[in-house]
Amino acid sequence: MLDDRKLAVLRAIVEDYVHTEEPVGSKALVDRHNLGVSPATVRNDMAALEEEGYIAQPHTSAGRIPTDKGYRLFVDRLTTIKPMSSAERRAISAFLEGAVDLDDVVHRTVRLLAQITRQVAVVQYPTLTRSTVRHVELVTLSSSRLLIVLITSTGRVEQRVVDVGTTVADEFLRDVRARLNAVVAGRPLTEAASAVADLPDMFDVSVRPQVTTIVSTFLETVAERTEGRIAVSGTANLIPFGADFHTSIRPVLEALEEQVVLLRLLGETTGPSGFTVRIGHENPVVELSTASVVTTGYGPGDEAVANLGVVGPTRMDYPGTMGAVRAVARYVSQILAGE
């Protein structure tokens, strides 16, 4: 375990290297940081950090740069995450509040996060299995055709057309709508099937076939799709960081085009207040072994229904990036909660 002084030296090396893009020497550390020790002591600490694998010398007579292990310790020992300024928070709020539906929310979010962090932003659509029913609407399209509209707690809207085979009266439609909402509103979509199982029995036998058809179509509407949906923005932001990817940036860009890869990067939902930070070789995809990924969950209230995050070089401003990811996730969560 490193003592406080060596941790301070490591922190200074990470901060300087992220800022300057140049290997860091002992004299620069003494000049730029109030470490309270002599250059000789800093050199000894740097030698110890190098021996333990936290920093490395890219070439002879150069300064030192952090390794994946060094970045990991830096992140694990972060005492503060850089907060967004008041102006930045107002800009985030104004930009996201203009969204008109879930698709708009996701696409605004991914563009905003890419702009703020100047890295690649990735946003996962909320999955139906983690959503609850907010409301079900039945709309008459013709004498026998209806439109079922499902609105979830995450703002997702699903629609299905159903032909009940006979003319339905407005009073019947109001009755079905009211009873359907009474048993499913506020329930997780995973409980929808059990919630509506007895619904046809609540109606007169003469209209049960129509109710059964409506219920069956409703259940098709809430059925979970197996494929995940991902929105990505800002891949061009990585081009200026090309030198940070030890061999070539091409494998990184190609990996980011794969939906399966992105889903693996986002991983399991972490919760709105928690972070997952994968650095270099910690990533589950070999093509991204020179990148870092910062993700967090988002969703209404304390419930996380999906993840969002950024992908960038390991030479990343971790406190600033984590602050931006956290701020955007909070605003998106508030929008989904209807606040």
Side-chain angles (χ1 to χ4, degrees), residues 57-327:
Q57 189 176 31
H59 50 81
T60 306
S61 74
R64 305 300 190 273
I65 63 174
T67 62
D68 288 357
K69 182 179 178 180
Y71 283 124
R72 168 49 59 194
L73 185 60
F74 173 80
V75 170
D76 289 346
R77 293 301 184 91
L78 276 179
T79 55
T80 58
I81 297 174
K82 183 181 177 182
M84 307 296 288
S85 68
S86 297
E88 288 172 328
R89 291 197 300 270
R90 286 194 300 270
I92 292 172
S93 178
F95 186 74
L96 293 180
E97 284 176 356
V100 297
D101 56 25
L102 181 62
D103 279 332
D104 199 14
V105 169
V106 170
H107 285 102
R108 284 173 180 255
T109 300
V110 76
R111 295 200 311 271
L112 177 67
L113 195 54
Q115 291 170 4
I116 292 174
T117 63
R118 297 181 182 177
Q119 296 175 73
V120 179
V122 185
V123 178
Q124 180 184 22
Y125 275 77
T127 59
L128 286 175
T129 52
R130 294 194 181 103
S131 304
T132 59
V133 178
R134 181 173 291 173
H135 182 72
V136 180
E137 187 60 55
L138 302 178
V139 181
T140 302
L141 298 179
S142 66
S143 60
S144 64
R145 296 175 73 243
L146 307 174
L147 177 67
I148 299 179
V149 182
L150 167 69
I151 304 172
T152 73
S153 59
T154 55
R156 190 163 172 173
V157 178
E158 298 288 329
Q159 302 179 15
R160 290 289 188 284
V161 175
V162 53
D163 192 332
V164 295
T166 185
T167 301
V168 293
D170 290 342
E171 183 178 352
F172 165 76
L173 202 59
R174 287 194 297 270
D175 194 12
V176 175
R177 181 191 301 115
R179 296 193 186 194
L180 182 58
N181 278 289
V183 296
V184 300
R187 283 179 174 266
L189 271 69
T190 51
E191 299 178 6
S194 59
V196 300
D198 299 327
L199 190 63
D201 295 334
M202 299 179 183
F203 291 82
D204 187 88
V205 66
S206 63
V207 295
R208 283 181 190 171
Q210 289 86 357
V211 178
T212 299
T213 300
I214 292 171
V215 168
S216 297
T217 305
F218 168 74
L219 291 177
E220 293 175 4
T221 307
V222 302
E224 178 62 67
R225 290 159 177 75
T226 56
E227 75 275 14
R229 294 181 64 192
I230 299 285
V232 182
S233 181
T235 51
N237 288 340
L238 293 187
I239 294 175
F241 295 100
D244 288 285
F245 300 97
H246 305 322
T247 54
S248 170
I249 196 174
R250 181 182 293 276
V252 177
L253 297 178
E254 290 177 345
L256 292 174
E257 293 179 355
E258 298 294 330
Q259 186 98 340
V260 174
V261 169
L262 295 175
L263 287 170
R264 289 181 65 194
L265 283 182
L266 290 175
E268 294 298 321
T269 308
T270 58
S273 60
F275 284 100
T276 296
V277 181
R278 296 192 184 93
I279 300 170
H281 290 85
E282 297 173 357
N283 282 305
V285 182
V286 66
E287 291 84 358
L288 297 176
S289 60
T290 56
S292 285
V293 182
V294 178
T295 63
T296 192
Y298 72 91
D302 295 327
E303 179 189 10
V305 295
N307 278 345
L308 59 80
V310 298
V311 180
T314 54
R315 187 179 62 80
M316 175 187 290
D317 174 13
Y318 291 97
T321 299
M322 293 168 70
V325 168
R326 178 179 64 181

